[in-house]
Amino acid sequence: RFAGVGTRAQVGVQRDIEPMQVPMGTSATLQHFSPATPDRTLIEEVRQRTMQQQPQLESMRNMLETQQRQRSLQVASSVEALLESSLPDGVAEIEIDEFRVVVRIAENGTFGSGTATVTPAFSSLLQELAVLLGDLTGTVSIDGHTDNVPIRTAQFRSNWDLSAMRAASVANVLAETGEMSPERLLIQGFAETRPLASNDTPEGRAANRRVELTIDASAPFEERGERSLDALQVSSAEPSLPVIATTPP
């Protein structure tokens, strides 16, 4: 009997062998494979190339900003000459804010009191301004402002309506000349929320009733305002604009 069982075990049935158990918390894959070590030579090459280009990019950026500031001075000078020949003294003022030129025009002589209709003289000025700004590529933001005296008429429910409609009236005149693309124009109405002076005096309220044109005199940029190195090099190769000397008021 025992001999038969032994023969069967040797000839007909093999023993079950358990597979090798992997201890919990380990990975068989990680025991045999590991990530490749980064090529330090390539990393250093990229880092060195970036560091070499950084001063050149910074120099190009500074040169471009200098040209843009000079362009802003040119635009401001041209606009100032136009305003001086078209409007009475004290009606308009110009301010340069980095690459933008802000033109403030008081209500006096530009709109009738409580209306959004431009006067004939102001309309002629805007038409000449459109020709002057037609060669630029930046945007022109037109902002309407009022004093804090409430208004409620059949046409205007509040100063919000009045300020926005005055800005729209200016934009309409600029666009109708055909010199400026409507896509360049932005209009906003601020009512009495951004005063220049106190509304407690007649003089302060008169200063607050105004229209502001913010002219973006900077050159057009690619891809969210950033230029490629090649574009900056081309720009730097062009002759620089003359510097306009200004005297303090």
Side-chain angles (χ1 to χ4, degrees), residues 209-222:
R209 297 189 299 268
R210 68 197 188 278
V211 170
E212 294 185 357
L213 287 79
T214 302
I215 305 165
D216 181 6
S218 62
F221 287 122
E222 301 172 0

Side-chain angles (χ1 to χ4, degrees), residues 105 111 116 118 122 126 129 142 164-176 185 187 211-213:
I105 304 176
F111 294 95
V118 299
F122 188 36
L126 292 175
L129 185 62
I142 308 164
M165 283 301 299
R166 284 183 170 179
S169 296
V170 172
N172 286 333
V173 176
L174 295 175
E176 287 170 358
L185 302 177
I187 62 171
V211 170
E212 294 185 357
L213 287 79

Side-chain angles (χ1 to χ4, degrees), residues 15-208:
R15 292 181 302 165
D16 294 333
I17 302 176
E18 294 185 0
M20 182 172 33
Q21 299 293 326
V22 178
M24 296 182 62
T26 63
S27 171
T29 303
L30 293 180
Q31 290 177 354
H32 298 282
F33 298 94
S34 61
T37 303
D39 188 344
R40 303 299 300 178
T41 302
L42 178 60
I43 295 177
E44 292 299 330
E45 181 180 350
V46 173
R47 182 181 293 113
Q48 182 178 7
R49 185 180 304 173
T50 303
M51 293 179 63
Q52 289 174 347
Q53 290 182 346
Q54 188 65 30
Q56 187 178 10
L57 290 172
E58 191 66 27
S59 176
M60 294 295 180
R61 183 175 290 106
N62 292 337
M63 185 178 302
L64 179 61
E65 290 179 354
T66 300
Q67 291 181 354
Q68 290 175 341
R69 290 189 180 93
Q70 293 175 357
R71 187 178 293 107
S72 297
L73 290 174
Q74 285 185 320
V75 172
S77 178
S78 299
V79 173
E80 182 180 17
L82 175 60
L83 296 178
E84 287 179 348
S85 63
S86 304
L87 294 176
D89 293 340
V91 174
E93 63 179 8
I94 298 177
E95 176 182 317
I96 299 178
D97 178 16
E98 280 293 322
F99 310 133
R100 302 181 305 171
V101 178
V102 181
V103 182
R104 294 190 180 95
I105 304 176
E107 176 192 62
N108 182 27
T110 57
F111 294 95
S113 178
T115 73
T117 303
V118 299
T119 63
F122 188 36
S123 179
S124 298
L125 168 63
L126 292 175
Q127 292 173 13
E128 294 183 51
L129 185 62
V131 175
L132 178 63
L133 302 180
D135 293 334
L136 299 180
T137 55
T139 59
V140 177
S141 176
I142 308 164
D143 305 335
H145 302 268
T146 68
D147 57 23
N148 66 344
V149 177
I151 184 174
R152 188 173 184 85
T153 65
Q155 187 177 7
F156 307 113
R157 296 173 55 189
S158 67
N159 281 325
W160 290 105
D161 288 354
L162 178 59
S163 61
M165 283 301 299
R166 284 183 170 179
S169 296
V170 172
N172 286 333
V173 176
L174 295 175
E176 287 170 358
T177 62
E179 299 290 341
M180 299 183 63
S181 170
E183 289 77 13
R184 292 180 53 198
L185 302 177
L186 306 173
I187 62 171
Q188 301 179 98
F190 291 100
E192 69 273 12
T193 61
R194 298 189 179 183
L196 291 177
S198 172
N199 281 303
D200 295 335
T201 63
E203 294 79 13
R205 289 192 294 272
N208 293 332

